[in-house]
């Protein structure tokens, strides 16, 4: 029985010493000089995440932010009047929508001058010209180009050349108008 009690006391003493050392192991250490030093210990190690890399100062290609409208590139058509005629109005038409035309303020171009229609989206356009000196122009007062593909800024010079027509009664000379594009194209105007 003595062995049992001493074994029991020894076990309880070990448990108490282990509990005391566990409780006080990382908190306070007392030196014989009565000097108190506080030491903090961590029982588990937690890795800190690596810092995120810095973003590029200027991206090389434009990007469209999420939930925003895409950027629409626009182009312009510039017309230079290289004829002796006064252009009383000019306009462009895409998908049966007329841009800058047939209003109370016609877009006229004097001989040797130029005018520009900006902010045109990419697509097929028809260019219209009128030489009539009326306040309100009608659709039949315009001459038009064939359909042109617009995917960059372009300049058209309007020129005239003489065309001879021979009929039974006489030879007739009348001016034929055409556009010479900065892209090297040449487009004849069509009378309505």
């Amino acid at each position: 029985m003595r062995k049992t009690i001493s074994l029991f006391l020894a076990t309880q003493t070990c448990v108490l010493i282990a509990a005391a050392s566990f409780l006080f192991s990382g908190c306070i250490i007392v030196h014989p000089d009565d000097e108190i030093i506080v030491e903090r210990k961590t029982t588990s190690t937690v890795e800190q995440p690596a810092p995120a890399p810095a973003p590029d100062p200027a991206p090389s290609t434009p990007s469209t932010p999420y939930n925003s409208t895409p950027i629409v590139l626009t182009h312009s058509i510039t017309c230079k009047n290289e004829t002796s005629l006064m252009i009383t109005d000019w306009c462009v038409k895409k998908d049966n929508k007329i841009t800058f035309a047939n209003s109370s303020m016609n877009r006229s171009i004097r001989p040797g001058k130029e005018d520009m229609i900006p902010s045109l989206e990419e697509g097929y356009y028809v260019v219209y010209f009128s030489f009539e000196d009326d306040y309100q122009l009608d659709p039949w007062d315009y001459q038009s180009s064939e359909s042109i593909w617009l995917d960059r800024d372009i300049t058209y010079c309007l020129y005239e050349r003489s065309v001879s027509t021979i009929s039974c009664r006489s030879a007739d000379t009348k001016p034929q108008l055409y556009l010479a594009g900065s892209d090297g194209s040449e487009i004849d105007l069509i009378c309505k």
Side-chain angles (χ1 to χ4, degrees):
M1 176 120 161
R2 270 189 173 177
K3 286 185 180 183
T4 309
I5 293 175
S6 62
L7 185 61
F8 176 73
L9 288 175
T11 307
Q12 281 189 347
T13 307
C14 286
V15 169
L16 284 172
I17 292 172
S21 66
F22 178 74
L23 287 173
F24 299 114
S25 67
C27 297
I28 300 174
I29 298 174
V30 180
H31 287 279
D33 301 355
D34 293 336
E35 191 177 316
I36 299 175
I37 299 174
V38 177
E39 181 182 322
R40 294 183 184 188
K41 290 185 180 178
T42 57
T43 56
S44 65
T45 58
V46 178
E47 291 185 26
Q48 296 293 331
D56 291 338
S60 60
T61 57
S63 62
T64 304
Y66 185 71
N67 285 339
S68 69
T69 56
I71 298 171
V72 177
L73 298 177
T74 59
H75 310 287
S76 64
I77 296 178
T78 302
C79 179
K80 293 182 177 181
N81 185 0
E82 300 294 338
T83 69
S84 60
L85 304 170
M86 172 74 166
I87 299 173
T88 56
D89 192 23
W90 79 290
C91 63
V92 295
K93 190 176 191 182
K94 177 186 179 196
D95 302 328
N96 282 332
K97 294 178 186 169
I98 297 175
T99 305
F100 298 116
N102 217 7
S103 63
S104 61
M105 293 192 53
N106 294 339
R107 297 178 68 95
S108 62
I109 308 174
R110 296 184 184 283
K113 301 294 182 184
E114 66 182 52
D115 190 26
M116 179 178 64
I117 297 177
S119 304
L120 301 171
E121 293 180 12
E122 186 173 292
Y124 284 100
Y125 287 86
V126 176
V127 183
Y128 290 87
F129 295 95
S130 178
F131 304 94
E132 300 297 321
D133 194 18
D134 292 335
Y135 176 73
Q136 182 64 39
L137 297 169
D138 295 310
W140 54 84
D141 292 330
Y142 288 86
Q143 294 183 34
S144 66
S145 71
E146 60 190 38
S147 185
I148 57 169
W149 176 253
L150 182 67
D151 61 354
R152 62 181 166 242
D153 294 348
I154 192 162
T155 299
Y156 285 109
C157 293
L158 181 66
Y159 292 108
E160 59 185 316
R161 62 179 155 226
S162 297
V163 177
S164 297
T165 57
I166 301 174
S167 64
C168 294
R169 297 185 189 163
S170 67
D172 200 16
T173 304
K174 66 180 198 173
Q176 169 64 47
L177 300 173
Y178 69 97
L179 293 171
S182 58
D183 61 352
S185 62
E186 190 172 297
I187 304 165
D188 290 329
L189 293 188
I190 305 162
C191 294
K192 292 252 178 191

